[in-house]
Amino acid sequence: MRFHIVIAAVFCCGFADSRKIRGISSSYKRFYRERKSFLCIDGSKIIPFEQVNDDYCDCDDGSDEPGTSACPRGRFYCTNLGFRPHYIPSSRVNDGICDCCDASDEYNSHAHCQNTCWNLGQRERAYVEGQMRTLDEGLQLKQQLIEEGVLLWREKQAQLRELQQAAEDLQIKLEEHRRRKNEAEQTLKALEAGDSGLRHHNNTITSMFQLLDSNKDARITVDELQAKVTVIHDEGRLLSEDEAVALLGGAHQMDLTKFRHTLWDILTKGDRVKIKDTHGSEDSTVGEDSHLKAADRAAKWEATNLKKVEEAYDTVNMEISDLQKKLAIDYGTDWEFLFLNSQCYKLKVYEYTYTLCPFNQVTQENTAGTQVSLGMWGMWAGAPKNHYSQMVYENGEPCWQGGSRSATVTLTCGTETALRSVKEPSKCQYIMDFQTPVACQPVLKQRGIHSEL
Amino acid sequence: MMASAFILWLAVCLSGSWAVDRGNFKTCDQSAFCKRQRALKPTESPYRALLETMELTNTRLTLQLINDNNKVRLLLELYRLQGNITRVKINELKPLKPRYEVPDVLIREPPTEPLSLLSQDENGVVLSLGADSQRVIVSARPFRLDIMEGREVLMSLNSRGLLAFEHLRIRKDTQAEPEAENKEEADQTNQAEVAKEEGEKVDDGMWEETFKSHSDSKPNGPSAVSLDFSLPGVEHVYGIPEHADTLRLKTTDNGDPYRLYNLDVFQYELYNPMALYGAVPVMLAHNAQRTTGIFWLNAAETWVDISSNTAGKTVFGKMLDYVQGSSETPQTDVRWISESGIIDVFIMLGPTAKDVFSQYASLTGTQSFPPLSSLAYHQCRWNYNDQEDVKAVDMGFDEHDIPYDFIWLDIEHTDGKRYFTWDPHKFATPKEMLQGLMDKKRKMVAIVDPHIKVDSSYKIHNEIRSRGYYIKNKDGGDYEGWCWPGSAGYPDFTRADMRSWWASMFAYDQYEGSMENLYTWNDMNEPSVFNGPEVTMHKDATHGDWEHRDVHNLYGFYVQMATAEGQIQRSGGVERPFVLTRAFFAGSQRYGAVWTGDNAAEWDHLKISIPMCLSLGLVGISFCGADVGGFFKTPSSELLVRWYQTGAYQPFFRAHAHLDTPRREPWLFGPENTALIREAVRQRYTLLPYWYLQFYHTHRTGEPVMRPLWVEYPQDPATFALDDEFLIGRDLLVHPVTEEGARGVTAYLPGKNEVWFDVNTFQKHNGAQNLYIPVTMNSIPVFQRGGSIIPRKLRVRRSSTCMEHDPYTLYVALNPQRTAEGELYIDDGHTFNYEKKEFVHRRLSFVSNILSSVDLAPDAQFTTPSWIERVVILGASKPSNVTLKTADGQESQLEFDFDSSMSVLTLRKPGMNAGADWTVTLK
C-alpha cells in the first residue's frame, strides 16, 4: 500500500507546477512552492521537497506532512467547497471516518465517503437563514421589548414616585394621628387622676350642691333644703322652716360659695342633720364614670387610627423597598430584561417540571407535587464581553452530601421567550437553556458562510 | 434525581464519619469459627497418620489420619501434578453428608505424574516427587508433611500442629432422634459415642451465630478446616488479594488475620487486612533462591494468619545473626482457616516466580486475551444522564483531541434498575446511540448487575422465578434482599443451567437495544445485599444442596463467567468478550477485567492502586485497574492529572466518578491540565502494541503484565518490598508520581550491569541504583530496559480501532553488550481467530549491528498492512551507512539521523511490512 502512495507522489511530481499539495489552504501555498528543498515552516529543518507529504514526519512542527497522518501535531485543511473550510488534526486523515465533507481526508482508507459539502452548505445556509430570520425577528421583538422595558421602567419609576408621595402623605397623616392620640391619652390620664383625688373633694361639694339645688337655679332654698335634708336622730321628721333658714345661715337661700364654707361642713361633719338616703348620689357617680369611659374610648379610637395609618405607611414603605430592590437589579443596558421580572417559565423534563422565574427563583417539582428550590436569583455571570448571556441562581435547597443546589441559565436568541432545556450534569448543579428575543445580539448578523470561492 | 430511598440508604450509611464503618464487618473474634480456630495454639498435633491404611497407586497416595482426641478419621490424598505441583486433599473419611468441593475453578482435572515410594518405616514414608530430588516425607506421629529438595526443607504442613477439621456432627442439645438416619453406619455411631465421651464442648456459635441484627442458623453445625504451612528461609510473602495493603504481606500476630470474604465495603480503609470485593486464595513465597506458591482451593469465608520469626528483628539484629552465624533460619509461618468445605491445597514448587505463574495457570487458566480496544482508555461516570449527554461527552473528546475507546453507562441508564433494559426517556433509542459511537469506531459498556428487581412485570425476573433459578432462603422461598432496585432476587449462578440461560439473555434479540459494540460491566456481585449481614447474603441461604456459606466467594466468579459466555455466544463464538467485574475468585482471570472497587479521590488511594494491582497480577489476574480520579470525593486537578498519568501505565485504564461529585471530563480543568491529561492518554495509545503483546503473553503463560520488580530481579533483595514502582512486562519500568506537590521521585533501577533509558529524554542510567528524578507536572517517570525492543504506534488517533493499520516505530534500547530483543504481535484485535493461527508474531533482535525480524510462528497466517515507519536505536553509535534487506533479497540504503548528544540513531522510513522478514545492517 505504501508503494501506491509513493507511486502516486512520484506521478504527481511530473506536473510540478500544477501539483496540488494535499491538506493546505490557499494562504499556505506560498510555503509549498515547488523547489528542490522544503523549509519546515518553523524554520527548524530543510528537507528535500520529495519528502513533503511522503507519509513520514520530518519537521517538528508537522509542516512537511499537511496531507498525511504522519506528524503528531499536524493539521489537515479540508477545503470543503460549497461548505465551510476547516482544519482537522492530521490524525483524522485516513482513519476510516469521514471528517471533511468533501471526503478529502479519506483518500486512502476503506471508508466510502461521499462529498456532502453541497448538502451541508445548503442545510447550513438554510439554517443560517433561519437563524438570520430568527435574529431579525428577535431583534425587532427585542426593540419592542426595549421600548416596553423603557416604558415599564418609567412606569415603575412613576409607581415608585407615587409610592414615595403616598409615603410622604402618610407620614404627615401619621404625625397628625400621633398628636391626636397623645391628646386623647392626656385627657384620659387627667380623668383618671380626678377620679382618685380632686374628684373626691371638689366634685363632691359641687355635686352635693347640685343635688340640693333641685331646680338648678344655683341657689339652695328653704324648700329645697327641706326636701332633701333630714334630722339624723329622727329620720321621719321634716326640717322646720326655721331650722332650714338657720342651716342656710339665716337667709332663705344660699349660693355655692357660701355652701362650701358653711352648710357643706355641717352636712358632712356635723351630727345633727344629713342628706336623705336617696339614689341620687349614685346617679352622680355614674355620670362621672361615663366621662372617663368616653375619654378612654376616644384614646383607643385614636390609637386604632394611628395603627391603621402606621400599617399603611409600612406597607407603602415595603412596596417602595421591594420596588427599589427590583429596580436595583441590572436589567441590561436598555432595561430589556425588565419584562422578565414577575414572569415564570415552565418546562417538563422527564419526571420533573422546572420553573424559572427570572430575577426571582428556580424550582423543580416532581410528579408527586413536591417542590424543591434550585436557587434564588444571584447574578449575571456571562463572560465580560457578553455579560447578559448567563444568569446564576444560588442557595437552593441543600444537597445531602453538602452544598446547596444551584442553577446556571444560559440565554439564547429566539423569537419566543421560553425555557428550552434543563440538565443536571453533576448532582445538584442545573443548567438551563432559556430562549428570549432580548438575548439576540446584532453582532451575530455579521457571521455568514465563508467560502473558498 | 436519585430515588429518595437510595439517598436515605446512603445517608444512613454515611451517618457521621467518612471512612468505612468497621462495625459493619466482622473481626475474627466476631466470626465464630475464626475465633474458635484462632484460639488453637501451635502444639503437638492430635492427628496421627495410620500408615497401615496407606494405598499408593500410580497417581495418588491415600492415607487415613486419626484425631486421637475424638477418634474422627480423615482421609488424606496426595497427588503429584504435572509441572512441579503437589496437591494435598484432606476430607473426613466418612462425613455425615458430603462436604463442598469447589467445582469449575480448575480448568480440568489436573494431570498427574507418578509417585514412587522411596522408603517406609513405622514412623513414616518417603515419596519421590519426580526427578528433581524432591521428596515428601509423611510423618506418622504426629502427622506432618515435609517437602524437601535435597537436604533442604521447602515447606512443611502441620509442623505447628494446627491441622483442624471440624467434623460434621449431629446436634445434641435439641436434635431429634438421630438413629433413623444413622443406624447403618457403625463407625458413625462409634464416633458420636466417642465424641460424647470426650465431652467435646459445644461452643457458642457452633450451631447458631448472630452478628448485629442478623442471625445465622447453622443447620450443619461447625465445619471449619484449618492447616498451617511453614516456609523455612522465607521472609517475603505476597498475594491473597483483595486487600488494600502493601504488596508484601504483613505479619498478623498483633491484629486480625487477612480475611478473604467477598464484601461490598463502603469507603474502604487502606493498609489493613479487612476483606474487600474479591478473593484469590493464593499466596506466593519468595526468597533469593526460590519462589513457591500455595493455592488453598476453598470458597468459604477464609482467614489467613502470617507470622515470622524475623518480623520483630531490626536490621542490626539480623546482621548480628548473620555475622555470628548462629541464627535460626528466617521462617514464615502461614495458617489458613476456612469456614466449611475441605482442605484442598496445591503446593506450587517453582522454583522461579515464572514457574509458579505457569503452575498456577495450569490449574486455573490464564488471563483471557482481551479485545485490543479494551486496553485503551475508558470514560466512565455514574452516570451519563441521557443519550444527549453521551453524545456531548463523545464530542468533547474529539474537540479536545483526546482519544478514548469506551464510554460507560452506570445503573441509571436502566428502566428502574431493571438490567437488560433502558430508561425509556433518557435512553429511548440506544441503537442510534450505539451506532453513533460505532461510526467513530468507539464502544460502550452498560452495567448488568446480578440482583434482579422483584417485579412481576419484568421479564427477566419472571423467567428466573418461573424456572426456579433464584437462590433460596433457609426456609425454601426465593431469597430476597435489598439492593439498587429495592427488593431484589439473586439468581443462582452456581447452576450451569442458570448460567446458560443468563448467557442467552445477551443475544441481540433478547437484550433489546444492544449491538456488537455494547459490552458489559458486572458490579455488586459479591453479592451486595444492602440489608444483609455485612452487606452481603445470609450464609444459610441455599444453592441447591449447598449453603451460601460454602460457595460465597465463587458467586462473582460465576456471574462474570456467565456474562462473558453470553457475549461470546451472541457473536456465534467469533468475538472476544469484554466484561468487568468487581467480585472475583481464583480463575476469574479467564473471564475479563477486574477493578479495585469504590476507592476515593485521595493521594493514598492513588498510591495503593499499585500494590493492589500488583497483588492481583501475581495470582493470575492481570487485567486490573483502579478508578482514575477516585470514585468517592472530588480530586484536586493535580491529583486527577497524576492519576491519569499513573492509570495510563496500569492495565485497565478507566476514569470513573461518583454520582454526587462534580463533572470531571478531562477538559474541565483548564487548558494546561487538559493538555497534561491528553499527553498521558496519548502515551497510553502509543504503547498499545506493547500492552497488547503483554496480554498475549499473559494469555499464553500466566505471567503478570504489571509485575513487581522482584519477579524479574529475584535475587535482588532491594526489590522485594518495592510497591511504588513496577514493571510492565520485562521492559518498561514505571515509577508514577503519587505524592502531592512532588518535586522529584526516587526510583530504584534494578540490574547490575544493566542500563535503563528514560523514554522521554532517552537519557541512559545505570541499573542497581536509586535514581533521583526531578519532576514537573508533565513527568511520568518511565524507563525502557537496555536490551529490549518496544514497538509503538505514534499516530495517536480518536480510538485504538482507528490506529489498526498504522505503521510502527521500533524503539531499540541497547544494553552494554550492544544487543536488544523484543517481539511484535499483530492480529485482528477482536476475534478468536488468533486461536486459528491468524496472527503475526515476530522476534525482533539486534545483535552485532544487525536488527532483524524473525517469524516466531511460521505456521501462523495473517496479513497486516502495517509497516515499519521508523526505528529509533538508543545507546547507538553513528554508522556510516544503513542497509535494509527485505525477504525478496532486495537491498536498499536507509536514511538516518544521529543525535550524538544522546546517542540516538533514527532510521528514516525503512518501510518494510511489519509481518515480513527483514534485516537492517548498520555499518
Side-chain angles (χ1 to χ4, degrees):
Chain A
M1 178 193 293
R2 182 185 69 89
F3 301 106
H4 292 302
I5 301 166
V6 172
I7 289 162
V10 169
F11 181 72
C12 281
C13 292
F15 306 89
D17 282 344
S18 62
R19 171 178 157 190
K20 177 141 170 35
I21 301 288
R22 200 192 293 276
I24 58 167
S25 71
S26 52
S27 58
Y28 271 78
K29 274 184 182 153
R30 61 197 172 93
F31 293 108
Y32 295 89
R33 274 203 200 106
E34 187 73 7
R35 290 192 190 93
K36 276 201 167 163
S37 56
F38 172 79
L39 176 66
C40 302
I41 292 177
D42 66 359
S44 61
K45 208 172 176 183
I46 296 178
I47 57 169
F49 200 85
E50 301 89 78
Q51 291 183 4
V52 171
N53 275 347
D54 73 337
D55 207 17
Y56 183 87
C57 190
D58 292 288
C59 300
D60 283 344
D61 66 354
S63 57
D64 63 317
E65 297 294 318
T68 77
S69 59
C71 288
R73 267 174 290 276
R75 51 182 203 161
F76 180 92
Y77 185 79
C78 306
T79 305
N80 289 352
L81 279 180
F83 188 54
R84 247 178 298 127
H86 67 107
Y87 281 101
I88 58 169
S90 63
S91 66
R92 293 177 195 173
V93 173
N94 291 329
D95 67 348
I97 300 167
C98 311
D99 289 287
C100 307
C101 64
D102 62 5
S104 57
D105 60 320
E106 296 298 316
Y107 58 87
N108 190 20
S109 82
H110 296 299
H112 301 291
C113 302
Q114 310 288 320
N115 187 327
T116 57
C117 291
W118 178 246
N119 286 341
L120 279 178
Q122 266 192 323
R123 219 185 301 160
E124 170 93 350
R125 276 185 287 274
Y127 175 76
V128 170
E129 275 163 27
Q131 288 291 95
M132 295 300 212
R133 270 197 304 278
T134 303
L135 184 58
D136 281 344
E137 224 174 297
L139 284 172
Q140 275 177 26
L141 288 166
K142 181 178 181 176
Q143 199 48 47
Q144 281 175 30
L145 287 166
I146 286 173
E147 282 159 23
E148 279 170 33
V150 172
L151 287 178
L152 198 59
W153 177 260
R154 286 194 192 134
E155 196 182 296
K156 296 272 175 194
Q157 290 289 0
Q159 201 183 330
L160 180 63
R161 274 196 303 277
E162 272 170 32
L163 283 169
Q164 280 166 337
Q165 187 56 53
E168 273 171 40
D169 293 351
L170 279 169
Q171 174 108 38
I172 292 163
K173 222 170 164 187
L174 194 65
E175 271 157 28
E176 167 66 19
H177 277 274
R178 280 204 186 108
R179 191 184 54 73
R180 276 201 234 159
K181 180 184 167 234
N182 272 345
E183 280 174 7
E185 276 170 0
Q186 287 302 324
T187 310
L188 179 64
K189 228 179 256 167
L191 275 176
E192 279 167 351
D195 192 38
S196 57
L198 191 91
R199 175 185 160 185
H200 226 83
H201 189 62
N202 198 13
N203 270 15
T204 312
I205 296 174
T206 317
S207 59
M208 193 178 284
F209 180 81
Q210 282 168 351
L211 176 71
L212 293 174
D213 178 20
S214 297
N215 64 354
K216 307 289 178 209
D217 63 349
R219 281 180 200 85
I220 301 169
T221 59
V222 172
D223 301 344
E224 287 170 342
L225 207 57
Q226 282 174 321
K228 297 278 172 71
V229 174
T230 183
V231 180
I232 288 173
H233 300 294
D234 185 4
E235 280 195 31
R237 184 174 70 87
L238 284 174
L239 285 179
S240 68
E241 198 177 328
D242 292 345
E243 285 171 321
V245 169
L247 284 173
L248 290 173
H252 276 86
Q253 54 189 25
M254 179 182 270
D255 64 4
L256 179 62
T257 315
K258 208 170 176 188
F259 175 76
R260 187 189 307 266
H261 299 294
T262 55
L263 190 54
W264 164 256
D265 285 343
I266 296 164
L267 281 171
T268 53
K269 291 173 190 157
D271 53 0
R272 269 195 319 123
V273 290
K274 64 165 192 178
I275 292 183
K276 277 185 192 167
D277 283 336
T278 62
H279 22 79
S281 61
E282 279 162 26
D283 283 350
S284 87
T285 314
V286 168
E288 278 169 23
D289 274 2
S290 75
H291 278 289
L292 192 60
K293 276 190 178 151
D296 188 49
R297 265 201 303 275
K300 276 187 181 143
W301 167 254
E302 290 303 337
T304 313
N305 278 349
L306 177 64
K307 210 172 167 196
K308 273 186 196 157
V309 178
E310 269 175 348
E311 274 168 9
Y313 183 69
D314 285 350
T315 309
V316 169
N317 269 330
M318 222 133 66
E319 276 175 38
I320 289 172
S321 119
D322 274 359
L323 194 55
Q324 278 174 334
K325 237 184 258 169
K326 274 188 188 176
L327 291 174
I329 291 175
D330 181 354
Y331 292 106
T333 41
D334 301 317
W335 300 296
E336 65 268 32
F337 295 100
L338 183 61
F339 80 101
L340 293 174
N341 203 328
S342 75
Q343 305 288 321
C344 289
Y345 302 89
K346 282 181 191 292
L347 182 70
K348 190 163 189 288
V349 182
Y350 306 132
E351 66 267 45
Y352 294 98
T353 302
Y354 295 87
T355 307
L356 165 66
C357 304
F359 306 108
N360 185 5
Q361 62 168 352
V362 179
T363 56
Q364 178 200 56
E365 190 177 329
N366 67 11
T367 41
T370 315
Q371 214 179 52
V372 171
S373 164
L374 305 187
M376 309 302 293
W377 163 249
M379 61 192 140
W380 290 105
K385 271 190 183 169
N386 202 357
H387 185 55
Y388 299 108
S389 62
Q390 207 167 70
M391 297 168 152
V392 171
Y393 294 79
E394 346 167 85
N395 298 320
E397 269 182 44
C399 296
W400 74 267
Q401 83 277 14
S404 57
R405 288 170 173 77
S406 67
T408 304
V409 181
T410 302
L411 286 81
T412 53
C413 171
T415 52
E416 281 171 31
T417 298
L419 193 52
R420 287 290 179 211
S421 77
V422 182
K423 288 176 196 162
E424 189 190 8
S426 298
K427 198 84 184 129
C428 296
Q429 291 174 7
Y430 295 81
I431 290 179
M432 301 187 153
D433 182 15
F434 183 57
Q435 219 176 52
T436 172
V438 289
C440 297
Q441 297 290 337
V443 283
L444 262 177
K445 224 176 166 176
Q446 289 163 11
R447 283 199 208 145
I449 307 172
H450 300 279
S451 168
E452 268 277 294
L453 275 180
Chain B
M1 288 201 197
M2 286 289 296
S4 54
F6 157 67
I7 291 169
L8 198 70
W9 174 77
L10 276 185
V12 169
C13 283
L14 264 179
S15 61
S17 79
W18 174 256
V20 62
D21 185 357
R22 281 189 186 222
N24 280 337
F25 303 101
K26 290 182 182 178
T27 60
C28 177
D29 260 0
Q30 290 167 319
S31 194
F33 79 94
C34 186
K35 185 180 183 183
R36 256 185 343 258
Q37 292 292 317
R38 224 186 180 204
L40 303 176
K41 296 299 173 198
T43 174
E44 187 170 294
S45 176
Y47 283 98
R48 179 159 56 86
L50 301 171
L51 293 181
E52 64 278 15
T53 64
M54 183 174 86
E55 287 175 35
L56 181 65
T57 69
N58 195 26
T59 57
R60 74 165 187 174
L61 169 131
T62 60
L63 187 65
Q64 290 180 23
L65 309 176
I66 187 162
N67 181 334
D68 278 330
N69 292 338
N70 61 14
K71 303 297 180 220
V72 175
R73 288 192 185 202
L74 305 180
L75 180 70
L76 167 80
E77 294 172 79
L78 202 141
Y79 301 84
R80 166 75 179 159
L81 304 183
Q82 281 177 18
N84 206 11
I85 305 168
T86 300
R87 182 181 194 177
V88 177
K89 262 175 104 164
I90 303 175
N91 197 349
E92 287 182 60
L93 181 64
K94 288 179 176 158
L96 268 181
K97 55 191 263 190
R99 298 179 65 116
Y100 188 69
E101 299 187 34
V102 175
D104 301 315
V105 166
L106 300 179
I107 50 173
R108 55 181 170 171
E109 194 52 38
T112 55
E113 283 185 348
L115 276 170
S116 57
L117 190 64
L118 291 179
S119 65
Q120 176 177 13
D121 61 17
E122 70 276 15
N123 294 319
V125 293
V126 181
L127 298 156
S128 164
L129 285 177
D132 304 340
S133 73
Q134 284 181 352
R135 288 156 294 148
V136 183
I137 301 171
V138 183
S139 307
R141 183 191 288 264
F143 164 70
R144 66 180 271 173
L145 292 173
D146 293 278
I147 298 172
M148 314 272 301
E149 185 174 282
R151 302 180 58 178
E152 205 185 332
V153 179
L154 301 181
M155 197 182 294
S156 306
L157 281 65
N158 199 32
S159 56
R160 292 189 296 149
L162 293 169
L163 167 62
F165 214 104
E166 292 178 337
H167 60 280
L168 299 179
R169 63 201 75 185
I170 307 289
R171 188 167 189 170
K172 300 205 192 75
D173 46 358
T174 59
Q175 204 66 25
E177 292 300 293
E179 278 92 320
E181 298 167 17
N182 269 15
K183 268 267 159 67
E184 80 282 10
E185 283 285 6
D187 261 9
Q188 212 81 54
T189 320
N190 280 345
Q191 282 187 7
E193 277 170 11
V194 170
K196 211 175 280 174
E197 281 162 24
E198 289 291 318
E200 212 166 66
K201 78 169 197 272
V202 177
D203 279 337
D204 281 349
M206 283 172 94
W207 295 94
E208 186 167 35
E209 124 174 50
T210 304
F211 178 66
K212 302 191 103 178
S213 59
H214 303 283
S215 80
D216 175 10
S217 71
K218 295 182 168 176
N220 298 324
S223 58
V225 296
S226 158
L227 183 59
D228 64 275
F229 301 78
S230 292
L231 301 157
V234 169
E235 289 180 88
H236 292 83
V237 288
Y238 310 94
I240 54 168
E242 182 176 20
H243 300 100
D245 207 353
T246 50
L247 172 66
R248 181 196 180 183
L249 298 171
K250 295 175 180 133
T251 59
T252 58
D253 300 321
N254 299 319
D256 261 6
Y258 284 99
R259 188 182 188 203
L260 294 172
Y261 190 58
N262 295 353
L263 292 175
D264 178 4
V265 181
F266 186 75
Q267 292 169 349
Y268 58 78
E269 266 181 57
L270 307 186
Y271 303 109
N272 76 44
M274 286 173 72
L276 288 179
Y277 312 93
V280 183
V282 175
M283 181 185 283
L284 271 63
H286 177 74
N287 63 23
Q289 287 75 46
R290 180 180 284 274
T291 309
T292 58
I294 298 169
F295 171 27
W296 175 267
L297 180 51
N298 189 303
E301 180 184 343
T302 296
W303 299 78
V304 185
D305 254 323
I306 298 169
S307 58
S308 158
N309 62 353
T310 55
K313 286 191 182 168
T314 60
V315 175
F316 180 74
K318 286 187 200 173
M319 257 170 59
L320 204 65
D321 285 347
Y322 180 75
V323 171
Q324 292 169 342
S326 62
S327 134
E328 51 178 336
T329 337
Q331 175 169 314
T332 297
D333 295 306
V334 181
R335 184 190 185 191
W336 298 72
I337 304 167
S338 289
E339 187 176 11
S340 68
I342 65 163
I343 293 174
D344 189 0
V345 59
F346 299 81
I347 296 158
M348 301 174 286
L349 289 170
T352 68
K354 290 182 184 179
D355 293 328
V356 174
F357 301 141
S358 124
Q359 285 152 7
Y360 181 62
S362 76
L363 298 170
T364 66
T366 60
Q367 179 68 53
S368 61
F369 190 29
L372 191 152
S373 55
S374 66
L375 299 176
Y377 174 64
H378 299 260
Q379 180 66 35
C380 188
R381 172 177 178 83
W382 177 22
N383 214 104
Y384 287 120
N385 295 334
D386 48 28
Q387 288 180 210
E388 206 185 327
D389 198 357
V390 169
K391 201 170 186 176
V393 172
D394 178 76
M395 298 230 315
F397 276 91
D398 285 344
E399 270 166 38
H400 298 90
D401 199 18
I402 300 171
Y404 89 93
D405 272 61
F406 281 81
I407 187 163
W408 292 52
L409 295 180
D410 208 324
I411 51 175
E412 311 301 326
H413 85 277
T414 60
D415 179 9
K417 318 295 180 313
R418 294 169 186 87
Y419 304 105
F420 300 102
T421 70
W422 305 83
D423 184 295
H425 306 293
K426 296 169 188 168
F427 294 91
T429 53
K431 283 194 177 177
E432 208 172 278
M433 168 177 66
L434 288 165
Q435 186 60 52
L437 292 170
M438 196 181 279
D439 291 345
K440 290 200 186 161
K441 305 194 180 187
R442 285 172 176 154
K443 301 170 170 66
M444 174 171 267
V445 169
I447 200 164
V448 175
D449 286 352
H451 50 259
I452 303 300
K453 186 176 175 71
V454 174
D455 168 10
S456 58
S457 61
Y458 177 29
K459 178 187 91 171
I460 298 282
H461 163 73
N462 288 337
E463 287 250 357
I464 297 173
R465 188 162 62 175
S466 66
R467 289 165 189 258
Y469 284 160
Y470 277 125
I471 295 171
K472 303 290 185 285
N473 60 35
K474 66 176 164 45
D475 304 316
D478 285 349
Y479 181 93
E480 278 184 30
W482 196 262
C483 208
W484 296 128
S487 194
Y490 293 76
D492 187 354
F493 283 90
T494 67
R495 293 174 62 156
D497 52 358
M498 159 61 209
R499 292 198 299 275
S500 78
W501 175 83
W502 178 267
S504 74
M505 287 299 102
F506 289 88
Y508 296 122
D509 58 350
Q510 291 292 327
Y511 189 168
E512 277 175 43
S514 69
M515 279 176 41
E516 55 268 45
N517 65 338
L518 179 69
Y519 294 82
T520 312
W521 169 19
N522 293 146
D523 195 2
M524 316 296 281
N525 53 344
E526 293 74 25
S528 178
V529 181
F530 292 163
N531 58 343
E534 304 192 86
V535 202
T536 191
M537 187 166 284
H538 293 75
K539 285 176 173 171
D540 52 12
T542 61
H543 302 246
D545 292 338
W546 305 109
E547 282 190 285
H548 185 68
R549 184 186 331 278
D550 302 312
V551 305
H552 175 84
N553 285 347
L554 280 177
Y555 190 76
F557 161 89
Y558 276 130
V559 173
Q560 193 190 19
M561 176 196 277
T563 305
E565 184 54 36
Q567 278 187 16
I568 295 171
Q569 279 178 16
R570 69 176 186 179
S571 71
V574 173
E575 297 287 329
R576 287 176 235 166
F578 173 72
V579 182
L580 178 75
T581 181
R582 191 169 71 181
F584 51 83
F585 190 67
S588 285
Q589 68 270 17
R590 307 199 294 267
Y591 307 112
V594 158
W595 95 108
T596 62
D598 298 345
N599 62 358
E602 291 169 359
W603 289 91
D604 278 348
H605 274 269
L606 170 58
K607 290 188 188 89
I608 206 88
S609 71
I610 300 173
M612 286 181 81
C613 280
L614 285 174
S615 297
L616 276 161
L618 288 175
V619 300
I621 299 176
S622 266
F623 205 178
C624 168
D627 285 344
V628 169
F631 178 65
F632 292 113
K633 305 177 90 177
T634 300
S636 65
S637 52
E638 184 190 355
L639 175 57
L640 185 67
V641 167
R642 290 302 189 199
W643 213 316
Y644 268 97
Q645 293 175 339
T646 304
Y649 286 90
Q650 290 177 347
F652 177 55
F653 181 25
R654 181 187 74 153
H656 188 30
H658 191 277
L659 181 75
D660 292 317
T661 60
R663 295 292 278 240
R664 55 167 99 137
E665 285 69 46
W667 50 87
L668 295 176
F669 303 88
E672 279 174 29
N673 290 310
T674 305
L676 291 169
I677 293 171
R678 178 190 298 123
E679 175 56 24
V681 178
R682 289 175 68 97
Q683 287 188 26
R684 171 61 164 230
Y685 276 73
T686 66
L687 271 172
L688 283 174
Y690 183 72
W691 279 104
Y692 196 50
L693 173 67
Q694 297 314 309
F695 272 86
Y696 182 70
H697 270 295
T698 190
H699 178 58
R700 291 287 181 220
T701 65
E703 289 172 21
V705 169
M706 177 177 167
R707 57 185 74 155
L709 269 64
W710 66 261
V711 168
E712 294 295 334
Y713 299 88
Q715 292 174 355
D716 181 356
T719 65
F720 291 178
L722 282 183
D723 61 7
D724 57 355
E725 62 182 66
F726 54 89
L727 295 166
I728 301 165
R730 287 174 68 198
D731 301 332
L732 276 185
L733 185 150
V734 187
H735 188 119
V737 181
T738 58
E739 292 284 344
E740 186 170 17
R743 297 288 189 82
V745 297
T746 302
Y748 180 72
L749 301 181
K752 262 182 217 156
N753 310 318
E754 288 204 22
V755 292
W756 294 86
F757 292 89
D758 185 313
V759 298
N760 296 308
T761 63
F762 299 146
Q763 198 181 344
K764 185 163 80 175
H765 302 283
N766 288 324
Q769 65 153 330
N770 281 302
L771 178 70
Y772 179 80
I773 308 143
V775 298
T776 64
M777 276 312 291
N778 273 308
S779 313
I780 317 177
V782 179
F783 301 88
Q784 182 177 346
R785 190 176 57 82
S788 67
I789 299 175
I790 290 182
R792 291 191 190 227
K793 284 185 174 178
L794 299 187
R795 303 183 181 192
V796 176
R797 302 189 191 251
R798 250 182 294 228
S799 73
S800 69
T801 311
C802 293
M803 297 162 64
E804 187 185 354
H805 302 310
D806 276 349
Y808 291 89
T809 294
L810 304 179
Y811 286 82
V812 181
L814 299 183
N815 61 17
Q817 293 75 45
R818 302 184 51 74
T819 67
E821 201 173 78
E823 290 174 31
L824 182 61
Y825 176 85
I826 307 169
D827 65 14
D828 66 23
H830 57 94
T831 72
F832 283 107
N833 293 349
Y834 71 93
E835 289 180 344
K836 296 186 275 181
K837 294 274 175 189
E838 290 181 21
F839 58 82
V840 167
H841 191 192
R842 307 201 63 88
R843 176 174 309 292
L844 307 167
S845 55
F846 186 95
V847 184
S848 313
N849 279 329
I850 298 173
L851 176 65
S852 61
S853 169
V854 180
D855 204 341
L856 274 174
D859 55 339
Q861 287 282 320
F862 189 72
T863 325
T864 173
S866 294
W867 48 288
I868 311 294
E869 70 170 330
R870 192 183 288 103
V871 177
V872 181
I873 305 175
L874 311 179
S877 41
K878 186 176 184 178
S880 51
N881 65 66
V882 180
T883 313
L884 167 69
K885 190 174 174 185
T886 46
D888 55 6
Q890 295 242 330
E891 290 197 12
S892 53
Q893 296 296 307
L894 296 182
E895 284 180 48
F896 61 87
D897 179 66
F898 185 71
D899 174 357
S900 54
S901 67
M902 283 293 162
S903 303
V904 178
L905 175 67
T906 305
L907 309 185
R908 185 185 190 280
K909 209 182 176 191
M912 55 284 195
N913 185 279
D917 288 338
W918 49 263
T919 58
V920 171
T921 308
L922 313 185
K923 274 182 191 151

